[in-house]
């Protein structure tokens, strides 16, 4: 994003962006002194940016367990994703990964940039893992074992049917949901959620990523990665890569809309899962990625740009979601707004228009029946004139900065802070 233009267009993004920037800066300062924990939290910030902040808001022992779980999964992912490693080398590593986490000596050179550092210095992660409570260790080990085996299965297998697609997403994301539910339960803060609802939480996030990342995955060097199921794309084109060619634009968008409609199937379960959470920090941790996902789907639907470049929510909207997602009422409000935005994009000529609208109507109904919608700040409607919104937002931002600093910063450093929040 990084553009002043986006801020001028959405002036009320400024306040949450500055707030987020300061919160990230503050969280990055709170790195534990022990070298292994220091490495883990520094790495967490490098590989997940804003999500690290939400993890850091969890209570201490759960926070440590989730941090390690996140890094173990990222490491497993790094092995799976590295297209330069042959299947013969990769499969045994994936299958044995749940044992490697107990071995302080183990490491395997792969990945690039921050992920290479994570892999080279994996001993810090295993050292920290061995300090977790046994309930946490067992949950992480069990999920790592099942995920590694599932990933190994799909190394030599294509995603053909919609069932394969659900199975693949179960291994790489649904199991994360099952693992997190176990960690929440082990912390004593939540009842144990059902496997089926936990699975849906992961499937909704992962399917959104797979939809959004079409171009990046198909253009992967040395070998394309293909996660869109043949059963869906073969209704529109002969080869998955044909979707990126301009002459197939109409078919490509129809296929994309079919994929979005498939992902929407999980929303009801996700809402059920979130509404059963009791701890406010765990709730935010779960709800923020879900709201980002429905926002991303709303952006991707009927959008040819998915096949041309990167389609991501603007940074200001991300900051707004992080700032505003605190309660179930906020979740209903966000799902309602983004579903309405999606519905307004459905064209009657789309082959799945009826199905998409039915799914959206079902989501809108759940949100309406929650009885909480009139309390929300809308994500879509710009209710105030731009210049008024700019003034209000600037006032909010300045009041916030003055409130968090014990001695008021100079005008120059104030401007600098706003500029940094927009730029980075
Ligand atoms: C996650 C999930 C996640 C969070 C909370 C509850 C969940 C329940 C079920 C399954 C997953 C759940 O959230 C992260 C979000 C994230 O990493 N965001 C990135 C943005 C991005 O585009 O990468 C950020 O930098 O902010 C997530 O996407 N996944 C994940 C991984 C591990 C854990 Cl412990 C939790 C990845 C995935 C594949 C969707 C499961």
């Amino acid at each position: 994003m990084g553009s002043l233009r986006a801020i001028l267009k959405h002036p009320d993004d400024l306040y949450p962006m500055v707030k987020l920037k300061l919160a990230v800066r503050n969280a990055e300062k709170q790195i534990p002194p022990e070298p292994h924990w220091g490495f883990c939290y520094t790495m967490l910030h490098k590989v997940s940016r804003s999500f690290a902040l939400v993890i850091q808001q969890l209570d201490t022992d759960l926070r440590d367990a989730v941090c390690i779980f996140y890094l173990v999964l990222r490491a497993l992912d790094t092995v799976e994703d590295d297209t330069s490693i042959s299947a013969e080398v990769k499969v045994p590593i994936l299958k044995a990964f749940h044992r490697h986490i107990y071995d302080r000596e183990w490491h395997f050179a792969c990945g690039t940039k921050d992920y290479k550092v994570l892999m080279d210095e994996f001993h810090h992660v295993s050292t920290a893992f061995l300090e977790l409570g046994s309930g946490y260790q067992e949950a992480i080990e069990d999920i790592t074992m099942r995920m590694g085996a599932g990933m190994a299965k799909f190394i030599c297998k294509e995603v053909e049917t919609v069932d394969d697609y659900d199975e693949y997403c179960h291994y790489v994301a649904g199991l994360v949901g099952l693992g997190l539910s176990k960690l929440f339960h082990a912390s004593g803060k939540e009842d144990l959620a059902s496997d089926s609802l936990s699975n849906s939480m992961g499937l909704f996030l992962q399917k959104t990523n797979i939809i959004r990342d079409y171009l990046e995955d198909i253009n992967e060097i040395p070998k394309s990665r293909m996660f869109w199921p043949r059963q869906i794309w073969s209704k529109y084109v002969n080869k998955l890569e044909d979707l990126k060619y301009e002459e197939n634009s109409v078919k490509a968008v129809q296929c994309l809309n079919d994929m979005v409609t498939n992902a929407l199937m999980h929303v009801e379960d996700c809402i059920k899962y979130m509404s059963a959470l009791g701890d406010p920090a765990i709730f935010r941790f779960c709800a923020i990625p879900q709201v980002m996902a429905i926002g991303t789907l709303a952006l991707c639907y009927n959008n040819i740009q998915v096949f041309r470049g990167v389609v991501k929510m603007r940074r200001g909207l991300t900051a707004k979601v992080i700032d505003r997602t605190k309660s179930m009422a906020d979740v209903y409000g966000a799902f309602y707004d983004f579903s309405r935005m999606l519905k307004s994009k459905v064209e009657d000529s789309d082959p799945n228009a009826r199905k998409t609208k039915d799914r959206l109507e079902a989501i809108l109904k759940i949100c309406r029946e929650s009885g909480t919608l009139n309390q929300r700040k809308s994500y879509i409607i710009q209710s105030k004139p731009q210049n008024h919104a700019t003034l209000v937002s600037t006032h909010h931002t300045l009041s916030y900065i003055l409130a968090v600093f014990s001695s008021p910063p100079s005008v120059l450093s104030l401007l600098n802070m706003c500029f940094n929040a927009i730029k980075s």
Side-chain angles (χ1 to χ4, degrees):
M1 179 324 288
S3 91
L4 200 56
R5 239 178 57 203
I7 288 289
L8 291 173
K9 211 168 154 201
H10 306 276
D12 55 338
D13 283 2
L14 183 64
Y15 167 65
M17 280 174 84
V18 169
K19 199 169 162 187
L20 178 64
K21 178 82 195 170
L22 293 176
V24 168
R25 213 202 267 177
N26 197 36
E28 281 169 357
K29 275 192 231 148
Q30 292 167 14
I31 300 296
E34 304 89 340
H36 52 296
W37 285 108
F39 175 86
C40 291
Y41 278 96
T42 307
M43 224 48 235
L44 182 68
H45 279 282
K46 289 196 169 148
V47 297
S48 82
R49 284 169 278 120
S50 47
F51 189 57
L53 187 76
V54 191
I55 295 183
Q56 245 172 324
Q57 286 168 4
L58 295 167
D59 265 358
T60 328
D61 66 333
L62 178 62
R63 176 177 70 199
D64 288 345
V66 171
C67 171
I68 299 308
F69 188 37
Y70 193 86
L71 292 178
V72 167
L73 298 175
R74 283 285 172 155
L76 199 57
D77 230 29
T78 306
V79 177
E80 188 211 19
D81 274 1
D82 192 327
T83 34
S84 69
I85 314 171
S86 70
E88 296 78 63
V89 176
K90 210 182 258 194
V91 166
I93 296 175
L94 292 174
K95 286 186 175 165
F97 212 90
H98 64 288
R99 288 197 294 273
H100 299 325
I101 54 180
Y102 285 92
D103 178 1
R104 283 198 186 94
E105 308 290 304
W106 185 86
H107 60 94
F108 177 73
C110 66
T112 57
K113 299 180 207 160
D114 292 330
Y115 298 97
K116 182 171 169 19
V117 181
L118 173 67
M119 298 311 293
D120 284 342
E121 304 204 30
F122 196 75
H123 63 99
H124 287 309
V125 181
S126 20
T127 305
F129 169 78
L130 290 165
E131 286 178 13
L132 297 176
S134 58
Y136 293 132
Q137 285 185 1
E138 279 155 26
I140 296 174
E141 179 191 353
D142 174 54
I143 297 303
T144 308
M145 179 184 73
R146 292 159 70 183
M147 190 183 293
M151 283 174 167
K153 179 175 173 184
F154 273 87
I155 293 289
C156 310
K157 179 177 153 61
E158 302 243 315
V159 181
E160 298 280 346
T161 64
V162 173
D163 283 347
D164 290 344
Y165 182 47
D166 282 2
E167 188 185 352
Y168 175 74
C169 291
H170 164 73
Y171 294 136
V172 299
L175 284 173
V176 179
L178 268 64
L180 285 170
S181 295
K182 280 193 195 172
L183 298 182
F184 301 158
H185 185 240
S187 76
K189 291 181 189 304
E190 298 288 349
D191 295 336
L192 185 61
S194 80
D195 283 358
S196 164
L197 294 186
S198 309
N199 187 51
S200 296
M201 289 284 285
L203 260 60
F204 186 58
L205 299 183
Q206 181 63 4
K207 287 186 174 182
T208 303
N209 291 344
I210 287 177
I211 293 168
R212 181 200 61 194
D213 296 339
Y214 165 85
L215 195 65
E216 194 185 314
D217 289 336
I218 206 89
N219 288 343
E220 181 76 18
I221 296 168
K223 202 171 160 288
S224 289
R225 287 182 308 191
M226 302 195 207
F227 304 115
W228 289 33
R230 179 190 294 271
Q231 197 181 342
I232 293 185
W233 60 255
S234 62
K235 289 189 262 173
Y236 306 94
V237 280
N238 295 323
K239 290 201 293 292
L240 181 59
E241 70 199 61
D242 291 348
L243 294 173
K244 69 175 172 178
Y245 304 122
E246 220 167 310
E247 64 267 30
N248 298 324
S249 292
V250 172
K251 291 286 173 196
V253 165
Q254 289 177 349
C255 182
L256 167 66
N257 296 347
D258 203 337
M259 291 287 288
V260 172
T261 307
N262 170 282
L264 288 175
M265 205 163 71
H266 304 291
V267 169
E268 294 182 51
D269 275 1
C270 295
I271 290 181
K272 243 187 235 159
Y273 181 99
M274 288 183 279
S275 64
L277 294 171
D279 180 85
I282 294 179
F283 175 81
R284 268 170 61 76
F285 169 79
C286 291
I288 290 170
Q290 294 289 323
V291 173
M292 302 278 286
I294 187 77
T296 303
L297 289 182
L299 202 62
C300 289
Y301 185 87
N302 221 25
N303 185 351
I304 191 67
Q305 283 311 314
V306 170
F307 304 97
R308 306 282 179 267
V310 183
V311 176
K312 270 202 178 143
M313 266 170 40
R314 60 176 203 277
R315 279 177 50 82
L317 190 51
T318 302
K320 226 185 235 177
V321 167
I322 295 174
D323 187 43
R324 288 188 187 174
T325 310
K326 296 196 173 83
S327 67
M328 211 44 217
D330 302 326
V331 168
Y332 286 124
F335 272 80
Y336 185 79
D337 283 347
F338 287 124
S339 300
R340 268 202 346 184
M341 198 188 283
L342 251 160
K343 205 174 141 203
S344 72
K345 292 168 85 181
V346 180
E347 290 168 7
D348 288 333
S349 56
D350 186 276
N352 294 291
R354 189 65 271 146
K355 200 164 154 192
T356 314
K357 281 188 183 164
D358 285 350
R359 297 244 158 108
L360 290 168
E361 213 34 77
I363 299 168
L364 291 168
K365 184 163 178 271
I366 295 172
C367 297
R368 257 187 243 110
E369 286 176 356
S370 74
T372 61
L373 289 180
N374 43 13
Q375 305 160 19
R376 81 194 195 284
K377 274 195 196 165
S378 173
Y379 277 100
I380 327 170
I381 303 150
Q382 186 93 47
S383 51
K384 306 249 166 53
Q386 291 282 299
N387 50 357
H388 181 262
T390 311
L391 266 179
V392 171
S393 172
T394 312
H395 175 249
H396 256 129
T397 310
L398 295 181
S399 324
Y400 176 75
I401 294 173
L402 290 172
V404 287
F405 284 87
S406 43
S407 58
S410 67
V411 175
L412 206 65
S413 57
L414 266 177
L415 283 174
N416 198 28
M417 242 175 267
C418 295
F419 182 68
N420 277 334
I422 298 167
K423 191 183 65 176
S424 57

